[in-house]
Amino acid sequence: MTPQIMMGVEPYSGFGVRLITMFVIIIIAMVYTLRYALKVSKDPTKSAMGNTDWLADCDVEEHAKEVKFNGRAALVTLLFFAQYALMVYMNSILGMGVDVMPAIMFIVSISCGLIYGMSFDEIGNAFAKGTGGMAFVAAVIGMAGTMSLVMSQGNILHTIVYVLSLPLKGLGQGLASIGILMVVTVINIFIPSASAKQAILIPIIQPLAQTLNVSGNLAVSAFMFGDGFTNLVTPALGVTAGSLALCGVPLNKWLKWALPIVTIMILVAFASLYILGAIGWTGL
């Protein structure tokens, strides 16, 4: 919604078309992931890791044990999902900001442990066990954030954006929107922060879209597509870098698996933007 507001487009307009595109992309990603999972389950040596050493770190018996879904489990499940509804309410309605999220999660975590009959000592030990390996992950996330900060505050990104936007001036609606998507995709690899890209890119994209007669919603869609897909592969994003560190997956092994599906997602976005541009879609 924020990119729409910044570009002077009616909030939530064009939601239906973007939702359909999202469903198509999600289905493709699910099929890709399931096919890979089936292949590895039949032959672990076909894993993207290139070996079976990762199996030694998987305690299959511990994680695959049978657990019955009883009343306590139902209550914990309900409480788990209710916390997100509470976060949205406290953020959007009460205006308490994101700082309230850790407090809600902390209270819900303790409540879930008590519902399952755990003592405070057991809850504390479980918490310590879960966070014990996070020091290195936190360091990786911090370094990823530093990369983004240097690129943004050093005005390096502004120069890159200006150079990449120059070729778009000679393109039509469909191709111009694809060009915007490509620019945002490249920038997203280095600056995965959505708020930073909005502040830097939208003041450039908005007049460029108006000059090329690209509708505001089409430009917003191009920005949103470019802002999402390469999050899966950029080491500058704390979530991606931290997840890889936590799971012990080398970046090169992850890229071998993730780049094909990211490429497919981008191609689907290309097709969507070109068709929408060809039919003069405005989203209103």
PDB file of all heavy atoms in Angstrom, residues 209-225:
ATOM      1  N   ALA A 209       7.451   6.972 -15.072  1.00  0.00           N
ATOM      2  CA  ALA A 209       6.228   6.295 -15.501  1.00  0.00           C
ATOM      3  C   ALA A 209       5.278   7.273 -16.180  1.00  0.00           C
ATOM      4  O   ALA A 209       4.633   6.939 -17.189  1.00  0.00           O
ATOM      5  CB  ALA A 209       5.546   5.643 -14.299  1.00  0.00           C
ATOM      6  N   GLN A 210       5.181   8.484 -15.650  1.00  0.00           N
ATOM      7  CA  GLN A 210       4.302   9.489 -16.255  1.00  0.00           C
ATOM      8  C   GLN A 210       4.793   9.882 -17.640  1.00  0.00           C
ATOM      9  O   GLN A 210       3.996  10.050 -18.564  1.00  0.00           O
ATOM     10  CB  GLN A 210       4.220  10.713 -15.344  1.00  0.00           C
ATOM     11  CG  GLN A 210       3.501  10.452 -14.026  1.00  0.00           C
ATOM     12  CD  GLN A 210       3.561  11.631 -13.081  1.00  0.00           C
ATOM     13  OE1 GLN A 210       4.366  12.548 -13.249  1.00  0.00           O
ATOM     14  NE2 GLN A 210       2.722  11.614 -12.059  1.00  0.00           N
ATOM     15  N   THR A 211       6.108  10.002 -17.789  1.00  0.00           N
ATOM     16  CA  THR A 211       6.684  10.353 -19.097  1.00  0.00           C
ATOM     17  C   THR A 211       6.424   9.266 -20.133  1.00  0.00           C
ATOM     18  O   THR A 211       6.157   9.545 -21.312  1.00  0.00           O
ATOM     19  CB  THR A 211       8.200  10.574 -18.954  1.00  0.00           C
ATOM     20  OG1 THR A 211       8.440  11.598 -18.001  1.00  0.00           O
ATOM     21  CG2 THR A 211       8.815  10.954 -20.292  1.00  0.00           C
ATOM     22  N   LEU A 212       6.474   8.005 -19.704  1.00  0.00           N
ATOM     23  CA  LEU A 212       6.285   6.869 -20.608  1.00  0.00           C
ATOM     24  C   LEU A 212       4.820   6.458 -20.728  1.00  0.00           C
ATOM     25  O   LEU A 212       4.523   5.461 -21.386  1.00  0.00           O
ATOM     26  CB  LEU A 212       7.103   5.677 -20.103  1.00  0.00           C
ATOM     27  CG  LEU A 212       8.625   5.879 -20.045  1.00  0.00           C
ATOM     28  CD1 LEU A 212       9.290   4.715 -19.344  1.00  0.00           C
ATOM     29  CD2 LEU A 212       9.199   6.056 -21.439  1.00  0.00           C
ATOM     30  N   ASN A 213       3.916   7.212 -20.078  1.00  0.00           N
ATOM     31  CA  ASN A 213       2.478   6.886 -20.076  1.00  0.00           C
ATOM     32  C   ASN A 213       2.192   5.523 -19.457  1.00  0.00           C
ATOM     33  O   ASN A 213       1.254   4.828 -19.864  1.00  0.00           O
ATOM     34  CB  ASN A 213       1.905   6.946 -21.504  1.00  0.00           C
ATOM     35  CG  ASN A 213       1.903   8.356 -22.059  1.00  0.00           C
ATOM     36  OD1 ASN A 213       1.603   9.307 -21.338  1.00  0.00           O
ATOM     37  ND2 ASN A 213       2.259   8.487 -23.327  1.00  0.00           N
ATOM     38  N   VAL A 214       3.014   5.116 -18.504  1.00  0.00           N
ATOM     39  CA  VAL A 214       2.784   3.878 -17.768  1.00  0.00           C
ATOM     40  C   VAL A 214       1.875   4.201 -16.589  1.00  0.00           C
ATOM     41  O   VAL A 214       2.147   5.128 -15.821  1.00  0.00           O
ATOM     42  CB  VAL A 214       4.117   3.281 -17.255  1.00  0.00           C
ATOM     43  CG1 VAL A 214       3.868   2.058 -16.392  1.00  0.00           C
ATOM     44  CG2 VAL A 214       5.008   2.922 -18.436  1.00  0.00           C
ATOM     45  N   SER A 215       0.781   3.450 -16.448  1.00  0.00           N
ATOM     46  CA  SER A 215      -0.163   3.723 -15.371  1.00  0.00           C
ATOM     47  C   SER A 215       0.508   3.550 -14.010  1.00  0.00           C
ATOM     48  O   SER A 215       1.461   2.776 -13.857  1.00  0.00           O
ATOM     49  CB  SER A 215      -1.378   2.793 -15.473  1.00  0.00           C
ATOM     50  OG  SER A 215      -1.019   1.457 -15.182  1.00  0.00           O
ATOM     51  N   GLY A 216      -0.010   4.278 -13.028  1.00  0.00           N
ATOM     52  CA  GLY A 216       0.570   4.214 -11.694  1.00  0.00           C
ATOM     53  C   GLY A 216       0.548   2.822 -11.117  1.00  0.00           C
ATOM     54  O   GLY A 216       1.523   2.372 -10.510  1.00  0.00           O
ATOM     55  N   ASN A 217      -0.564   2.102 -11.313  1.00  0.00           N
ATOM     56  CA  ASN A 217      -0.676   0.748 -10.770  1.00  0.00           C
ATOM     57  C   ASN A 217       0.282  -0.215 -11.456  1.00  0.00           C
ATOM     58  O   ASN A 217       0.783  -1.154 -10.824  1.00  0.00           O
ATOM     59  CB  ASN A 217      -2.113   0.240 -10.887  1.00  0.00           C
ATOM     60  CG  ASN A 217      -2.853   0.324  -9.574  1.00  0.00           C
ATOM     61  OD1 ASN A 217      -2.315  -0.025  -8.534  1.00  0.00           O
ATOM     62  ND2 ASN A 217      -4.093   0.791  -9.599  1.00  0.00           N
ATOM     63  N   LEU A 218       0.529  -0.009 -12.744  1.00  0.00           N
ATOM     64  CA  LEU A 218       1.468  -0.877 -13.456  1.00  0.00           C
ATOM     65  C   LEU A 218       2.883  -0.652 -12.921  1.00  0.00           C
ATOM     66  O   LEU A 218       3.642  -1.607 -12.718  1.00  0.00           O
ATOM     67  CB  LEU A 218       1.420  -0.591 -14.954  1.00  0.00           C
ATOM     68  CG  LEU A 218       2.096  -1.616 -15.871  1.00  0.00           C
ATOM     69  CD1 LEU A 218       1.453  -2.988 -15.695  1.00  0.00           C
ATOM     70  CD2 LEU A 218       1.996  -1.176 -17.324  1.00  0.00           C
ATOM     71  N   ALA A 219       3.231   0.609 -12.664  1.00  0.00           N
ATOM     72  CA  ALA A 219       4.540   0.913 -12.095  1.00  0.00           C
ATOM     73  C   ALA A 219       4.658   0.366 -10.674  1.00  0.00           C
ATOM     74  O   ALA A 219       5.718  -0.145 -10.284  1.00  0.00           O
ATOM     75  CB  ALA A 219       4.770   2.424 -12.096  1.00  0.00           C
ATOM     76  N   VAL A 220       3.565   0.453  -9.904  1.00  0.00           N
ATOM     77  CA  VAL A 220       3.566  -0.098  -8.545  1.00  0.00           C
ATOM     78  C   VAL A 220       3.763  -1.607  -8.580  1.00  0.00           C
ATOM     79  O   VAL A 220       4.521  -2.172  -7.789  1.00  0.00           O
ATOM     80  CB  VAL A 220       2.251   0.259  -7.814  1.00  0.00           C
ATOM     81  CG1 VAL A 220       2.118  -0.547  -6.526  1.00  0.00           C
ATOM     82  CG2 VAL A 220       2.208   1.744  -7.499  1.00  0.00           C
ATOM     83  N   SER A 221       3.075  -2.273  -9.515  1.00  0.00           N
ATOM     84  CA  SER A 221       3.228  -3.729  -9.648  1.00  0.00           C
ATOM     85  C   SER A 221       4.661  -4.097  -9.997  1.00  0.00           C
ATOM     86  O   SER A 221       5.223  -5.053  -9.444  1.00  0.00           O
ATOM     87  CB  SER A 221       2.268  -4.262 -10.726  1.00  0.00           C
ATOM     88  OG  SER A 221       0.922  -4.073 -10.352  1.00  0.00           O
ATOM     89  N   ALA A 222       5.263  -3.341 -10.909  1.00  0.00           N
ATOM     90  CA  ALA A 222       6.660  -3.597 -11.283  1.00  0.00           C
ATOM     91  C   ALA A 222       7.578  -3.424 -10.071  1.00  0.00           C
ATOM     92  O   ALA A 222       8.493  -4.222  -9.850  1.00  0.00           O
ATOM     93  CB  ALA A 222       7.080  -2.645 -12.406  1.00  0.00           C
ATOM     94  N   PHE A 223       7.321  -2.389  -9.279  1.00  0.00           N
ATOM     95  CA  PHE A 223       8.130  -2.152  -8.077  1.00  0.00           C
ATOM     96  C   PHE A 223       7.969  -3.299  -7.084  1.00  0.00           C
ATOM     97  O   PHE A 223       8.951  -3.796  -6.526  1.00  0.00           O
ATOM     98  CB  PHE A 223       7.724  -0.835  -7.426  1.00  0.00           C
ATOM     99  CG  PHE A 223       8.466  -0.539  -6.153  1.00  0.00           C
ATOM    100  CD1 PHE A 223       9.674   0.138  -6.190  1.00  0.00           C
ATOM    101  CD2 PHE A 223       7.967  -0.943  -4.917  1.00  0.00           C
ATOM    102  CE1 PHE A 223      10.378   0.398  -5.016  1.00  0.00           C
ATOM    103  CE2 PHE A 223       8.657  -0.687  -3.748  1.00  0.00           C
ATOM    104  CZ  PHE A 223       9.861  -0.013  -3.796  1.00  0.00           C
ATOM    105  N   MET A 224       6.741  -3.740  -6.865  1.00  0.00           N
ATOM    106  CA  MET A 224       6.479  -4.785  -5.870  1.00  0.00           C
ATOM    107  C   MET A 224       7.072  -6.120  -6.296  1.00  0.00           C
ATOM    108  O   MET A 224       7.613  -6.861  -5.472  1.00  0.00           O
ATOM    109  CB  MET A 224       4.974  -4.903  -5.630  1.00  0.00           C
ATOM    110  CG  MET A 224       4.376  -3.667  -4.980  1.00  0.00           C
ATOM    111  SD  MET A 224       2.588  -3.756  -4.769  1.00  0.00           S
ATOM    112  CE  MET A 224       2.461  -5.048  -3.532  1.00  0.00           C
ATOM    113  N   PHE A 225       6.976  -6.451  -7.598  1.00  0.00           N
ATOM    114  CA  PHE A 225       7.589  -7.689  -8.082  1.00  0.00           C
ATOM    115  C   PHE A 225       9.106  -7.637  -7.894  1.00  0.00           C
ATOM    116  O   PHE A 225       9.730  -8.596  -7.442  1.00  0.00           O
ATOM    117  CB  PHE A 225       7.270  -7.909  -9.563  1.00  0.00           C
ATOM    118  CG  PHE A 225       5.835  -8.275  -9.825  1.00  0.00           C
ATOM    119  CD1 PHE A 225       5.191  -7.860 -10.989  1.00  0.00           C
ATOM    120  CD2 PHE A 225       5.112  -9.036  -8.923  1.00  0.00           C
ATOM    121  CE1 PHE A 225       3.876  -8.197 -11.240  1.00  0.00           C
ATOM    122  CE2 PHE A 225       3.794  -9.376  -9.155  1.00  0.00           C
ATOM    123  CZ  PHE A 225       3.173  -8.959 -10.324  1.00  0.00           C
TER     124      PHE A 225
END
